[in-house]
Structures are given as structure tokens and as C-alpha cells.
């Protein structure tokens, strides 16, 4: 398919990020079939840099550990070279861990962008709205009451996340979904589920309580190909579904009436995007545990990096992947191999970011 590139008009940013006139540069790509695609050059550049950062962090993580490897050795082994020992370490031990981190980070990032767009609130993320707590309750019920194995615990996490999402949706529904009600219901459900988590821990045996605590911390340690393939399948199916909702979600930020006037089925878009986001969060939690604050910070950092209006779904996914793998690499670099679960580091950094966000929102008079 032949395409020509023509200069396009400048594109002003939305109400959240107001750019000076003439500062944003776009290009319009016209295909031979008459289709025109307008590209924001800053957003494209930001997405490219995020992809490069995620891949660089992945190579660094593969090369770290008790048997360190240089980036050149890692790349040579990934492309079929290296010694037999290096191939075993990379392909069987470290590559699955990195792939799970990339997939889970992307799932959390894009799901967080959906929740924040639908709720119209920067605090609207699975961590705050109770999805992670719901997955934890499901996993703990299987672990504490039924003494289930790894796959059973993962299945319980998925079921718990889906049921929690359904409960929040039903409680928040009143002639549609509205931002503040959605957030308030989610916060209330999260508080109840956290109490259930504490109750289940008090009823667990010492061995099960230790397993539950380890899982709830959130870690990529010990991940293998059995976690990679299900997570890859979920992302391959649902991330394109969410990306197809990008334009309608952007229109929803103008308000339901304006979006409906432009032909957007508001409730259909919300339900589709939210359902896909809930499944992505549940699957990611099942694969790596309830790793906190990635879904909260990734969409906002991506939006600030691109400077573009709208949900920025693909940059949020790339930012989530880069954040999670980068945090896991930093934890190994600073504290040694598998000495600090990645969920602890993301919790520390994300908590600091949340305090800064609250201070910023209060200074702006929005809270």
C-alpha cells in the first residue's frame, strides 16, 4: 500500500494539557485507498522512546542476577548464540520473568488509562477502586480454604477481580456510570475487601499465611512459561479491543451529550472498555500478584510525556511495561537478586507519587 505524508495543521491539546498555539506538530498520512491518518509527532516520538526504554530495561533485567551477563551476551543468546549454560539461563529462567513483567505492566498501564478516563479522575485506578483487592480476596479464598496450587490461586484471582468489577459496576450504575459515584463506590468496595483480606489471613495456617503474604506483595520471581502464554493470550485479545475504543473514549471526555451528538454509544463504549480493563487487571494480578501503583502512575506519566489530550492508551501500556520491568531491574541492582519483590519498590515509589499528585490537585483547587 503506497502512502504519502503531508504536513497537517497544528493540534491544540485538550483541557488537561493546554499547549501554546502552533507548538504541536502533526502529519497526515494518506493511503492509496483514500484513508487519512493524522499522527501527532510528539506522541509518536514519546511512544518510540517508551518502547525503547522497555526493551532496554528488559535486556538489563535478563542480564542481572547471580550470573550476570552483558547486554551483548544477552542479545547474542536471544538470537541463537551463547553457550549452553547461557541459553538455559536466558530462555528457561530469565526470559519468562521479563515477558511476564512486560505483559503485566502493559495490561496495568492501559487498564489504568481506561479507569481514569471513564471516572474522569486521576485517582481512578484498579488499586484505588478495589479491583486488586478483589483479586486478592479470590486468590486467598482458594489458598486458605482450599489449599490450592499455583494455577488454582491464579484462577481465584481472576474470578475475584471479575466479580468485584461486576459489583462495582452494578452499585455505581444509575442511568449510566458517572465519575464521582464510580470512584466513591470503588473506594468503599476496596475498604470492605481489605477487611476480608485481613480476616482470611487470621484464619490461615502459618504456612498458608506465609504463601498469601508472599503472593500479595507482588513479585516476578519464579515466573515461567506457564504464566507467559495465558497472559500473552489475554493481552493479544483485549488490548486491541481497548485500543479500538480510544477515539470514543476521547470524545467521552467532552461529556456524554457531546459524545452522543457525535454518534458515540456512550454506555456501550464504557461497558466494553471497562470489561476489557477488568479482565486485563485480573489476569495481570493472577500472573504477578497485586503489584501496586503501576496502573495509577503509568497513564499520567504517559500523558505528561506525550502532551496529547485523550486517554493515551498505547503510551500508557508502554509506560506500564517500562515501569514494571525497570522497577524489577532496579530492585535487583540495588538489593540483590530476588531480595526485594518488585511490588515493594513500586509501592514506595507510587506512594510518593500519589502524595505529590494529591498536593498538586489540592493546589489547583480540584480536591
Amino acid at each position: 500500500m503506497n502512502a504519502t505524508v503531508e504536513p497537517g495543521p497544528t493540534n491544540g491539546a485538550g483541557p488537561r494539557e493546554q499547549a501554546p498555539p502552533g507548538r504541536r506538530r502533526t502529519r497526515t498520512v494518506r493511503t492509496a485507498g483514500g484513508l487519512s491518518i493524522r499522527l501527532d509527532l510528539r506522541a509518536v516520538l514519546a511512544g518510540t522512546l517508551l518502547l525503547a526504554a522497555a526493551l532496554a530495561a528488559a535486556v538489563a533485567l535478563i542480564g542481572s542476577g547471580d550470573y550476570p551477563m552483558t547486554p551483548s551476551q544477552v542479545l547474542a543468546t536471544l538470537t541463537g548464540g551463547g553457550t549452553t549454560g547461557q541459553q538455559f539461563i536466558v530462555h528457561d529462567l530469565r526470559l519468562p520473568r521479563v515477558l511476564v513483567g512486560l505483559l503485566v505492566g502493559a495490561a496495568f498501564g492501559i487498564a489504568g488509562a481506561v479507569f481514569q478516563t471513564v471516572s474522569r479522575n486521576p485517582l481512578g485506578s484498579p488499586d484505588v477502586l478495589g479491583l486488586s483487592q478483589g483479586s486478592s480476596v479470590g486468590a486467598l479464598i482458594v489458598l486458605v480454604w482450599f489449599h490450592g496450587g499455583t494455577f488454582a490461586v491464579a484462577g481465584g484471582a481472576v474470578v475475584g477481580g471479575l466479580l468485584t468489577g461486576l459489583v462495582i459496576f452494578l452499585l455505581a450504575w444509575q442511568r449510566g456510570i458517572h465519575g464521582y459515584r464510580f470512584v466513591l463506590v470503588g473506594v468503599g468496595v476496596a475498604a470492605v475487601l481489605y477487611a476480608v483480606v485481613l480476616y482470611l489471613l487470621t484464619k490461615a495456617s502459618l504456612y498458608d499465611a506465609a504463601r498469601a503474604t508472599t503472593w500479595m506483595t507482588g513479585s516476578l520471581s519464579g515466573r515461567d512459561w506457564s504464566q507467559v502464554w495465558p497472559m500473552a493470550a489475554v493481552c493479544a485479545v483485549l488490548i486491541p479491543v481497548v485500543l479500538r475504543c480510544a477515539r470514543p473514549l476521547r470524545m467521552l471526555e467532552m461529556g456524554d451529550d457531546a459524545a452522543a451528538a457525535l454518534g458515540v454509544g456512550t454506555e456501550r463504549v464504557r461497558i466494553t472498555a471497562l470489561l476489557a480493563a477488568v479482565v486485563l487487571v485480573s489476569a495481570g494480578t493472577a500472573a504477578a500478584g497485586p503489584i501496586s501503583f503501576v496502573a495509577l502512575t503509568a497513564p499520567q506519566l504517559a500523558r505528561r510525556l506525550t502532551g496529547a489530550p485523550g486517554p493515551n492508551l498505547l503510551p500508557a501500556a508502554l509506560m506500564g511495561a517500562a515501569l514494571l520491568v525497570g522497577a524489577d531491574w532496579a530492585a535487583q541492582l540495588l538489593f540483590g537478586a530476588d531480595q526485594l519483590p518488585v511490588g515493594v519498590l513500586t509501592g514506595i515509589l507510587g506512594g510518593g507519587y500519589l502524595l505529590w499528585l494529591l498536593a498538586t490537585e489540592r493546589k489547583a483547587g480540584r480536591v
Side-chain angles (χ1 to χ4, degrees):
M1 179 179 292
N2 297 324
T4 59
V5 181
E6 302 175 357
T10 57
N11 179 24
R16 294 184 180 179
E17 299 285 346
Q18 195 70 333
R23 291 291 299 276
R24 301 200 64 81
R25 298 181 61 190
T26 64
R27 291 292 184 270
T28 301
V29 178
R30 300 184 184 279
T31 67
L35 178 66
S36 297
I37 303 175
R38 181 170 295 175
L39 300 177
D40 188 315
L41 296 185
R42 177 175 169 180
V44 172
L45 177 60
T48 303
L49 293 176
L50 287 174
L51 178 60
L55 294 178
V59 171
L61 180 57
I62 292 175
S64 62
D66 293 331
Y67 182 82
M69 299 172 62
T70 64
S72 60
Q73 289 175 324
V74 171
L75 293 175
T77 305
L78 288 173
T79 54
T83 64
T84 303
Q86 288 175 337
Q87 290 180 359
F88 172 75
I89 290 172
V90 170
H91 293 289
D92 294 339
L93 299 181
R94 296 181 181 174
L95 183 57
R97 174 184 187 143
V98 170
L99 291 178
V100 169
L102 291 172
L103 292 169
V104 171
F108 283 174
I110 199 169
V114 170
F115 278 105
Q116 291 176 15
T117 301
V118 171
S119 65
R120 301 180 189 175
N121 193 313
L123 298 178
S125 77
D127 312 279
V128 178
L129 300 181
L131 270 299
S132 298
Q133 292 85 343
S135 295
S136 298
V137 169
L140 289 182
I141 288 175
V142 173
L143 197 154
V144 173
W145 287 354
F146 301 102
H147 309 285
T150 302
F151 291 104
V153 171
V158 172
V159 173
L162 291 174
L163 291 177
T164 302
L166 178 62
V167 169
I168 294 174
F169 183 83
L170 292 177
L171 292 178
W173 178 272
Q174 186 177 353
R175 298 179 182 177
I177 294 293
H178 299 282
Y180 275 109
R181 185 166 63 245
F182 187 70
V183 172
L184 289 175
V185 169
V187 170
V189 170
V192 173
L193 292 175
Y194 180 69
V196 175
V197 167
L198 296 180
Y199 170 77
L200 290 172
L201 288 176
T202 62
K203 294 299 181 181
S205 65
L206 183 61
Y207 174 73
D208 288 336
R211 287 182 62 197
T213 303
T214 301
W215 183 85
M216 289 179 57
T217 303
S219 174
L220 298 177
S221 178
R223 298 304 180 265
D224 55 30
W225 290 103
S226 63
Q227 279 103 19
V228 173
W229 298 121
M231 193 67 211
V234 170
C235 290
V237 173
L238 293 182
I239 287 181
V241 172
V242 177
L243 291 177
R244 285 181 61 88
C245 298
R247 185 177 178 86
L249 285 174
R250 180 175 176 178
M251 293 180 180
L252 284 177
E253 292 187 340
M254 300 184 296
D256 286 3
D257 293 338
L262 293 172
V264 176
T266 56
E267 296 307 325
R268 176 181 56 82
V269 171
R270 282 197 186 95
I271 292 173
T272 301
L274 283 175
L275 180 60
V278 168
V279 176
L280 285 169
V281 170
S282 301
T285 304
I291 298 176
S292 58
F293 288 114
V294 174
L296 174 69
T297 58
Q300 298 178 40
L301 293 177
R303 186 179 295 114
R304 284 173 169 80
L305 186 62
T306 63
N312 287 271
L313 297 176
L314 187 56
L318 295 173
M319 178 66 78
L323 282 178
L324 186 53
V325 175
D328 196 33
W329 171 71
Q332 294 206 41
L333 183 67
L334 296 174
F335 299 94
D338 296 328
Q339 296 300 309
L340 182 71
V342 66
V344 176
L345 186 58
T346 60
I348 294 172
L349 298 177
Y353 178 82
L354 178 60
L355 293 176
W356 174 85
L357 177 64
L358 289 173
T360 303
E361 293 290 304
R362 181 179 179 183
K363 185 177 181 180
R366 290 189 285 265
V367 296

